[in-house]
Structure formats: C-alpha cells, structure tokens
Amino acid sequence: MDELLVAFCRTGTLGPVVLGVPPADVVERLGKPSSIKNGQGDDCFQWYGYSSVELGMRCFAQNARIRRRAGHDLVLASIRIGLSGGEPLIFPEAIAREPIAAPPLQLVDAHRLLDDRGIEMTRDHDRVLKRTLKEASVRVVSDDDGFVKEMSAGWRPRPGGWFYSEENEAGDWVTGHPSRRNAGRT
C-alpha cells in the first residue's frame, strides 16, 4: 500500500487537503476540479471531482432558506478515494506528481498492512474498516468480493453547537440540536 494512502488512513488528510476548509481553499491548493455536482436539490451539498478523488462540500446551516444558495457557507466535509480494479490512482499534482500504483488489495490484507504500520483500524461491518479521529472518521471499504474499493474520511464538525446532519463518534448519522434530541427523555 502506498505511503500516501497509509498517511490518509492515519490522519484523514490527503496531501494539502484538510477537512473543514472552504471550497476556495481547496481550489487554491489543488486547482480547478474536473467536475462539480450539486446534490439533494439545494446548494448545501456539492461534490468536486479530481480524477481518483471526490471531495464532498456541504453547509451546516439549519434554516433551509439559508441553505439555498449556500455556496459561501460550504466546507470540505468528506474526502473519497475511489480504487478501481487495480488501475493507477491519479491525483492532482499538489497531492502526487505521478500516478500511484494501486494493485487489487483484499480488505484483510489492507487491515494487516495498516496494523503493521501502527494504524489501528476496527472492523465496522463485514466490508468496512474504521478509524475514529478527534473530529473525523476514516473508512476503508471493500466490495462484495472483499477487494478494497474506496477509502474515505468524513468530518464531524460542531458548528455553533448545532448539528445539521453529521456522523457521531459511534458512526451513526444524527440530525438536529443535541439539547432538542434529549429533551423530554428521562
């Protein structure tokens, strides 16, 4: 496994790409993406495509009116590296100047290789290895045949104490304000 991918699993960062930065910082660091897609009917979700990498931008505004045209409130919330059948990984030059060899790798072998490098990953499902960081989680996911198909990092911010929709420390997605979720429970 290439050291760039090992470092990604260790830190949740990919070269100069750090979770939580605004899109302008991403473009400044990596250049213009090859594609930008909006999702879920508003501007609160965007995906920036860079060859083997997909960067998920999102806003964390509670009010739907604010989320519309929310481009200025977007931050980098996820990094996904797609591994496809042993083809070399192509990254923006700021991440890796040359394509990175990515031979097919079984999830069990990835687990062993990461463990050998001191990166503790836990089995989250039959096809997922997970590493929880302070404000992010890293996942290594396999296909049905057990070969690694993607590596991803997701951010769990705490903007203003309000959780728009995020993954908590247990890996569950939650929506709403923490005090409202627990209101009325005894």
Side-chain angles (χ1 to χ4, degrees):
M1 181 181 295
D2 188 85
E3 288 305 314
L4 178 72
L5 300 178
V6 172
F8 178 72
C9 290
R10 178 177 285 119
T11 64
T13 62
L14 186 60
V17 180
V18 180
L19 294 168
V21 300
D25 286 3
V26 170
V27 172
E28 182 179 310
R29 295 171 189 187
L30 300 182
K32 185 177 176 183
S34 58
S35 66
I36 298 177
K37 300 176 193 169
N38 285 346
Q40 298 193 7
D42 63 26
D43 293 337
C44 194
F45 301 93
Q46 289 185 340
W47 288 269
Y48 285 30
Y50 290 93
S51 299
S52 298
V53 180
E54 182 179 80
L55 304 177
M57 309 289 176
R58 60 184 296 178
C59 74
F60 290 87
Q62 177 180 8
N63 185 319
R65 281 187 245 162
I66 295 171
R67 288 198 326 256
R68 298 267 183 222
R69 296 176 302 284
H72 63 283
D73 291 329
L74 293 173
V75 293
L76 178 59
S78 66
I79 301 169
R80 181 186 164 279
I81 303 168
L83 290 88
S84 56
E87 293 182 23
L89 299 174
I90 300 174
F91 294 104
E93 196 170 303
I95 296 172
R97 294 186 188 273
E98 301 289 327
I100 294 175
L105 180 66
Q106 288 278 327
L107 189 65
V108 295
D109 295 327
H111 197 181
R112 181 184 47 76
L113 289 168
L114 290 168
D115 191 53
D116 288 349
R117 288 177 170 87
I119 302 169
E120 187 176 320
M121 304 283 290
T122 58
R123 201 74 142 167
D124 191 33
H125 294 287
D126 289 343
R127 296 182 287 166
V128 179
L129 299 176
K130 182 177 176 181
R131 176 175 171 78
T132 301
L133 304 172
K134 184 177 178 184
E135 289 191 357
S137 64
V138 176
R139 289 198 164 114
V140 178
V141 181
S142 72
D143 60 16
D144 291 335
D145 294 332
F147 287 96
V148 175
K149 70 176 184 177
E150 77 175 50
M151 294 178 164
S152 62
W155 189 45
R156 292 188 311 268
R158 307 292 191 274
W162 193 81
F163 297 68
Y164 167 63
S165 177
E166 68 180 21
E167 183 183 14
N168 66 18
E169 290 82 1
D172 301 318
W173 283 88
V174 295
T175 302
H177 194 282
S179 62
R180 290 188 200 131
R181 274 201 310 271
N182 297 324
R185 291 185 185 172
T186 55

